[in-house]
Structure formats: C-alpha cells, structure tokens
Amino acid sequence: MNTPSDLSSIRDEDAPVSNEREQHPILSKVFYGLAIIIALWHIYTNTLGTVSELWNSVIHFAAFGLLAALTIPAIRTTRQSTGRVVLAVDILLGLAAVSCALYLMLFENNLYARGVVFNGWDWFFSILAVALILEFARRATGWFIPTLAFVALTYVPVWGAWVSGMFHFPGLTWETTLYRSFIAGEGMLGSIANISWSFVFMFILFGAFLIKSGAGDFIIDIAKAVAGRFIGGPGLVAVFSSGLMGSVSGSSVANTVSTGVITIPLMRKAGFPAKFAAGVEAAASTGGQLMPPIMGAGAFIMASYTQLPYLTIIAYAALPALLYFLSVAMFVRVEARRSGVQKVEENPPKVIDVFKKGWHCLLPIAVLVTALIYGFTPTYSAGIAIISVIVASWLSSNPMNLKDVMDSLVLGTRNMVTTAILLLTVGLIVNVVSTTGIGNTFSLLVTDWAGGSLFITIVLIALASLILGMGLPVTAAYIVLATLSAPALYVLIAESQLLSLLMSGQLPQQAQAIFMLAAPDAMSLLSAPMDTETAQSLLAAVPPDFKTTLLQQALSPHALGMALLSAHMIIFWLSQDSNVTPPVCLTAFAAAAIAKTPPMATGFTAWKISKGLYIIPVLFAYTSFIGGSNIEIIKIFFFALFGIYALVAAMEGYLEHPLNLFLRAVLAVIGLSMLWPHGLLLIDLAGLIAFLAMFAWSYKTNPPKLQAA
C-alpha cells in the first residue's frame, strides 16, 4: 500500500539521518530484515514476553546500535575506496554493540559472584559499550549530546573533586562509574532505556502502522472538510491536520514534512505570505508533541517521573493542547483577514463523504483508548491497537497485506533509530545527576536565584530550555530539565497552594500542628483569613526541614500529585520552544525549506505564532488547569481562549480591521484580565463582554468581502 502519506523517509527525532546506505542493494535487504526482526521482538516482549528489563534494555542497545552503525556512516565520503573502509569499520562497530549485549547477558552473574570486582573483560566491554553509544549519538545528533554525556561521566570520577562550593563531589572510582553506567541496569540501560524500548517504540510503531494504512490521507482530507470553509481555511487545515498527525507521529519535524508539503503550498496559493505559511506549519507541527496520545514520548517519560497513570496524564494534557492549536488558529484568522485570503477549492470535500471513505482510520484510536480505560498497560494497549490497524484496513478499499505490514514494521523501526540512541545516551546523563545529587543542588540554586518566586523560576527554566534546546532535541531537553529543576518547581507550586489555604484561613488542623513547633507565636493567626504578606511571612518562618511534612499535612495526595504533574507539564511545554525559537529551530527550518523562505526569518515568525507555548504553562502554575474539577478546567479553558485571542489581536495590531496603539493596549488589558489568576468571575465576565463588543464593532467596521476557503 503506497499512499501519498507514506513517510518512509521521515525520522522520529529532530536530527536527520542519512538513508544513503538504505539504497545499497545488499545493505537495504539486511536493514529491512533486521528492522522486521527487531520490531517483532519488541512487540513480543512488550505484550507476551517475560524478559527482564536489563536484558530488554541491552538488546535494545545492541539492536539500534547495529542499525545506527549500518545506516549512518561514521564519515561522509564520495570516494568509493574510502567508503568501503568506512562501511567495514561501521559493520565492526555494529557487531561490537551486539558483543557487548551478549557479554552482559552471559557473564553478568559471574561479576556478582566475584563481589562486583571487575576483571579485564568487564573493563573492556563496559568502556566499549559507553564509547559506542557516544559515537552513535554523535552520528545521529551531532557533537553536543555525546560531549555533554562525556563531561557528565568524567565529573563523577575526575573533575567533580576539583570543583569547590555547591557542585563539589568527592568522587567515585572509574570501576563504580562504569558499573553504574552499563552493567548495573542504571545509566544507559536504566529507566530512560526502559521507556525507550517499551512505551516509545510501541507507539512509534503504532503511528507507522496508521500512516501506512492511509490515515495520513484521511487526516488531510478531514482537515480540509472541517476547516476549509472558514476564513483562512488553508491555514486552519494546516493547524488541524498537524494536530491530528502529531497525535500519532510524535515528532515535530516529521509532522512538518508530512503535512507541510500539502498545506504550505495550499496556504501560499490562497494568499498567505510564504513566511507566514511556513511559520504556521512549524508552530502547528510543534504542537503535535503536546497532543495526546503520544506527545513525542513525553507522556511516557512523565508517567515514569511522576508515577501517575499514563491515562491520567493524557487526559489532563488534552485541553491545554487544544488551546494551543486554537491559539495558532487565531493568528491564522487575523492574517487571513489582513491579507484577504481567497478561495482555493470551490468544492472542498464534505465531512460525511470523508468519514464514509476513511472512518476505519478512527477505529484503532478507539481501540487504544478503550484498552487504556479498561486497565491494560500502555504497551499492551499499543500492541492491541497495532493489530486493530491491520484489521480496520480490511474494511477499506485498500486493505493492508503482508508486504504492507512488514513495511510498517520497517518504517517504525527506522523512525526509532535516532530516538533510541538519543534516549540511551541521555540515560548516562540522568544517572550522573541522580548518583551525585547534582539535581537537588541545581534545584536549590534555581530557588535561590529566583528568590522563592514561582514566576521567576518559570522564566529561568524557559531560558534554560532554550539554551539546552540549541544542542538537544526536545525529548532530551525535557529529560535533563525535569531531572534538574522539577523538584524545585514542584515545591513552589505546592507552596503557592499552601499560601492560598493560609490566606483563606482553611489550613487543616494537622498542618497547624507543624506551625506550633516551627512558629508558635503564629498560632493565633491561623484560624482566620489573612493577607498575602502575612501568609508569606508565616511560611518563611517554617524551617526547610519541616516544609515537606507541612506540605504533606496541608495538601491532599491528589493536590500534591497534580502539583508535580503541573511542574513537569510546564517543563515539557517550555522544552518545545527550541523547535521554533532562533537561532536553532529545526522545525521552522524544515518548513522554510518547503516554502523557500529565509530560515531565520521563518523561525522568528514561527516563534511569534507559538506564543501559547509560554502563556499556557503560566496557567499550569497559577491555576487549577491541571488537576482541577471539570467545571474549573472548562472555565479556565473558556476564558483563556478569549484572553489569548485578545492578546493575539493586540500583538498583530489587527482584529477584524487594523487597530491603533490605543486599541491594541486596551485589548492587551482585556486579554490579561481573562488570563490573570485572580479567581474573580466578575472580572473574567467583564473582560469577555468587552472583547466581544470590540470584536463585533471591528467586524461591523470591516465585514468580509469574500468568503475564503
């Protein structure tokens, strides 16, 4: 089954992987066969198998190390003789990765029988495994990640002891460092590797099967049918299709390439400026990593960090993701009105006709959600959903045959190569952070720099994510930032909820007992409401050693869990900004290549359109958008929708007609009034009425002359 949505050349992560060797007459067949075997093995171990996590992780390393060696040359060369030498070396390196896995599986018990004392072979294979993963990471993602991993590894046995102050570390031996990095099931074979071979790979395979079954065409067609009739229709098609495609692809660059080749020319033909068209596609495709169920592997990593159910995470992530896409759509409508966008298709497809043709594409999603609701693990649910894709395709005019199934396995495996290498390498860094306690040190440092301010902490994390994103793909940037800064952010969010209880005079009795020990003079104040300054001074009087106990006594387990999830959501959202923020914004660069626009200028346009990446995390921090009741969440969503629209109009200087500086300032105040976490419904309603009045006046002043497609 070869459809226009065939994404066989698309990689899962942001760094492109050369496929020049995949065209080799022999290597292509070898790769094809290996990819099928690797995919089937992972499906088996994630559904029916009972292989240990360590063995799964090391087999995962060997399999994707071998594929990386075969498909990504160590050096690029056009000389045939040199190419043969490079190929021979790469084959040896791939087989070396396999030998490391075999050694660990066969001789792990011997090491423990010796009391975890290394012999010569333990030294050799541990060093070889670490060196190989760093080399494969260099090939797949460039020098930044392996350099960062090398600096982290050497910090433990070497230069940590040379550093003075907060980051001083007395050091561990090289033997212990290598043991924890490879053999012990920590480091490169630890929790991040477990996430890679289980959640991430299974859902990337699921996305590959969906694409091969024709879901890509269905997504584009349904986007045209739903959005094509509105003002700025071609731009809305880009937003809608990118959201749907991103929900299964999990990669912003793959999303941009797959939908952008259709939507960007469509937007340009309609009358959108080329740079704006590319920026919309980049911004919308970046949002694909925020859209459940895959979220660019973020949902699985978040579940591992927070120990919250995967289903809970994607449930709370859905409305914020929708709000982000609607914020991009607002920019589209404003630009469409300003540019006078024309019709492109006189007769866009009808929704009912598209559903009649492609309704079967929705069945696997329904099967996946149902399996999750019934309590199956995400990996087992993904396995069931993959089978359902094949079965559902038999209800269409192009049923998947055996060749299509094998092609899907190969596509998913190919898309996983860079991601697997990346996550295995990042595991080394995360292990150093946990081993040395540098994460707690960094959290204390962030708290100290921010002076206890939640807002300044978020700003610092945003800056850190941008800097890390210049060298790390977003998944890696999120993992590193979450390891370093999530504890500090979590405490500040929880403390903000505690302050609300103090100010309202509703502090539980068991929490008041903590104040009796820490600040006995304040007991008389706790039974009545108080102002913000008094509440902050009372909280500041509690010693740090008592803070954790105080939070546990004052807040429910649900509130604490949601505070932790909010912290991770904030970091995850802010980690996406490197996709669209110059100077390194690969998603925007990919869109610029399609639109033939200047990459850096396109990046700035995409950055402007992606403002939801910065606004919505503030809602996570200061409101109950994550973890609130259904009514609270819907209320926040509703007013934030109009508040963001007002800010978009203020930034663009255009609502339904051009706005002067005074009206832009008024709209900015109106938008902030609906977004500010004041908790007063009357202010929200006043802001909404004011915005609707301005919109109606602006629309009446400049009614649309043409119905754009």
Side-chain angles (χ1 to χ4, degrees), residues 249-295:
S249 77
S251 167
S252 57
V253 173
N255 202 350
T256 300
V257 176
S258 59
T259 59
V261 293
I262 298 173
T263 59
I264 290 176
L266 197 65
M267 282 188 278
R268 293 190 63 182
K269 185 178 178 182
F272 283 106
K275 187 171 63 175
F276 181 84
V280 166
E281 181 57 48
S285 294
T286 295
Q289 296 212 42
L290 306 173
M291 178 65 72
I294 296 179
M295 296 172 63

Side-chain angles (χ1 to χ4, degrees), residues 30 54 120 136 182 342 345 357 431 508 534 538 562 651 689:
V30 172
L54 178 61
F136 296 147
F182 178 59
Q342 303 295 312
E345 298 180 53
K357 184 180 178 181
N431 182 52
T534 303
L538 282 176
M562 292 303 102
M651 284 188 286
I689 293 170

Side-chain angles (χ1 to χ4, degrees), residues 536-558:
Q536 289 175 340
S537 62
L538 282 176
L539 185 58
V542 178
D545 294 342
F546 285 84
K547 283 284 180 70
T548 301
T549 304
L550 176 60
L551 292 174
Q552 292 173 346
Q553 296 291 338
L555 303 176
S556 66
H558 173 76

Side-chain angles (χ1 to χ4, degrees), residues 319-320 323-324 326-327 330 615-616 619 623 625 632-648 670-676 684 688 691:
L319 272 184
L323 184 59
Y324 173 80
L326 290 173
S327 73
M330 294 166 191
I615 296 173
I616 297 171
L619 297 178
T623 71
F625 204 13
E632 288 176 322
I633 292 172
I634 292 172
K635 174 191 161 198
I636 293 167
F637 174 86
F638 179 77
F639 286 110
L641 180 64
F642 290 97
I644 292 174
Y645 200 164
L647 290 182
V648 168
I670 291 172
L672 288 174
S673 72
M674 287 185 279
L675 290 167
W676 197 265
D684 288 332
L688 176 62
F691 173 75

